[in-house]
Amino acid sequence: MTGKSFDELTITDNFMFSKVMQNKELCRQFLEMVMGVKIKEITFPEYERTIDIRYDAKSIRLDVILEDEEHTVYNLEMQATSRDYLNKRTRYYQDLIDLDLLEKGQSYSELNRSIIIFVCTFDPFKKGRHIYSFENRCKEDLSLILGDETEKIFINTVGKADDIGEEFQNLLDFFNGMAPKGIFPNALQAEVSKVKKSQEWRREYMTLQIFMDDARREERKIGREEGRAERADKHLIDQVCKKLARKLSAEEIADNLEEDISRIKRIIEVAEMFAPQYDVEQIYEKMH
């Protein structure tokens, strides 16, 4: 999420991308372009990949999950910020899809083929390619495919390699903020304009922004509280170490500092590893 207003959203904002891709025809065309195959029909079955922003509010989905006529499950998401853990996020998404299918009564052998697709406005692997596709293969024999029917695809909108056609390049240029060129990018832009006219989605976005802001404030509050707790712990360790240097017993230190004896004994146990210097930072790190 960003601090943008609803009217400032573009196709590369998660919220807008997810709403535009709810248009079945546009979503189908997008998949055809990415996969390089014809897709007759897509459906949006119910999956549990939602974000609950509050207990009494409607759940909001920021990614798109769909099936084609062959029952291949696709998970689409826009990624506008580079993250070190992006590759492991695809693993998490894959697990969620499989778990949801199993909970619906399928056996392992019946699991659908599934493909995770991330549209990245940066190069996630720094190789210049526009498309990076991954599947599980034998390391000793790359011609041997595991056959678990899972695939992860990363679309790099800023790629430099000569590995896509003009139509696909026009689409990526549109994702990169250029004026739409060609039938499909113009159709996407028209859908963006249509989404912005929806009062329901405007309210949904504003609600999500409010609760995301609340979550960020809560995280900052917790961080401040943790900071205060850390300072208090280090102060106590420092006091214990000073009294240890004076050869006081655990009971005497606990009584002097009015602290629980078990807590003082724990500090002494660790502190003695760093005697006689008693480095407070090292003791704190060891205890945590």
Side-chain angles (χ1 to χ4, degrees):
M1 294 297 295
T2 69
K4 291 182 178 181
S5 70
F6 185 70
D7 292 319
E8 292 174 319
L9 296 180
T10 69
I11 189 69
T12 58
D13 290 294
N14 246 359
F15 188 89
M16 181 59 70
F17 181 77
S18 68
K19 298 309 179 187
V20 168
M21 287 298 146
Q22 287 184 24
N23 181 310
K24 291 178 66 173
E25 180 57 25
L26 294 180
C27 190
R28 185 189 64 80
Q29 291 182 48
F30 175 76
L31 278 182
E32 285 188 340
M33 197 170 293
V34 172
M35 303 303 299
V37 297
K38 285 293 183 182
I39 296 175
K40 294 180 181 179
E41 183 182 2
I42 64 169
T43 57
F44 296 102
E46 285 299 317
Y47 284 89
E48 300 304 320
R49 281 286 297 118
T50 58
I51 296 176
D52 293 315
I53 58 175
R54 59 175 178 173
Y55 293 117
D56 60 339
K58 176 184 176 182
S59 294
I60 292 178
R61 176 172 290 160
L62 294 181
D63 58 351
V64 182
I65 299 184
L66 59 135
E67 289 185 14
D68 64 16
E69 71 274 10
E70 301 294 331
H71 300 294
T72 298
V73 179
Y74 300 87
N75 188 115
L76 312 179
E77 187 167 307
M78 177 64 65
Q79 301 290 335
T81 304
S82 179
R83 305 288 189 189
D84 292 338
Y85 52 77
L86 198 60
N87 51 353
K88 291 189 177 179
R89 188 169 177 174
T90 64
R91 173 176 161 183
Y92 174 67
Y93 279 23
Q94 182 66 66
D95 289 344
L96 286 174
I97 291 173
D98 288 346
L99 180 61
D100 192 69
L101 290 170
L102 289 172
E103 288 181 343
K104 286 179 168 59
Q106 289 191 3
S107 67
Y108 290 110
S109 62
E110 296 173 323
L111 284 174
N112 303 48
R113 179 189 180 204
S114 60
I115 301 173
I116 311 296
I117 301 175
F118 281 178
V119 181
C120 304
T121 58
F122 52 90
D123 190 339
F125 302 103
K126 306 296 189 293
K127 297 292 184 180
R129 300 193 61 82
H130 290 93
I131 301 179
Y132 300 96
S133 302
F134 298 88
E135 63 182 354
N136 293 319
R137 292 176 178 264
C138 175
K139 292 195 297 183
E140 292 75 21
D141 182 355
L142 295 180
S143 67
L144 179 59
I145 301 174
L146 180 61
D148 60 349
E149 296 191 308
T150 65
E151 189 174 353
K152 285 84 174 175
I153 299 175
F154 297 81
I155 307 299
N156 168 27
T157 67
V158 294
K160 303 297 182 183
D162 184 19
D163 55 354
I164 57 173
E166 181 180 359
E167 186 179 15
F168 203 161
Q169 186 62 62
N170 287 340
L171 172 62
L172 299 189
D173 288 343
F174 174 61
F175 285 149
N176 289 330
M178 297 177 63
K181 181 181 178 181
I183 296 175
F184 187 52
N186 272 286
L188 291 177
Q189 182 57 55
E191 190 67 16
V192 168
S193 299
K194 181 179 177 181
V195 169
K196 288 184 178 181
K197 293 178 182 178
S198 169
Q199 292 303 310
E200 177 186 356
W201 285 343
R202 181 182 293 271
R203 286 192 297 270
E204 184 176 308
Y205 179 75
M206 292 174 64
T207 301
L208 181 57
Q209 286 284 69
I210 290 170
F211 283 92
M212 292 293 283
D213 288 343
D214 286 346
R216 283 190 287 266
R217 281 193 290 270
E218 185 63 24
E219 287 176 358
R220 289 194 293 269
K221 178 182 176 183
I222 292 172
R224 289 193 296 269
E225 290 173 350
E226 288 177 345
R228 286 193 291 268
E230 179 179 338
R231 290 192 295 273
D233 285 348
K234 288 180 178 179
H235 177 71
L236 178 59
I237 292 169
D238 182 58
Q239 294 298 305
V240 170
C241 290
K242 287 177 179 177
K243 296 182 186 304
L244 276 177
R246 291 166 51 196
K247 308 301 182 182
L248 271 65
S249 68
E251 290 74 13
E252 290 173 322
I253 295 173
D255 183 62
N256 192 283
L257 296 177
E258 297 182 344
E259 288 285 346
D260 182 76
I261 184 65
S262 62
R263 187 179 186 192
I264 295 301
K265 284 183 175 180
R266 171 60 180 152
I267 294 175
I268 292 174
E269 179 186 352
V270 177
E272 287 177 342
M273 301 178 187
F274 300 94
Q277 289 81 15
Y278 296 123
D279 187 296
V280 172
E281 293 292 336
Q282 288 183 322
I283 296 169
Y284 177 83
E285 291 298 325
K286 184 68 174 179
M287 291 184 66
H288 289 79

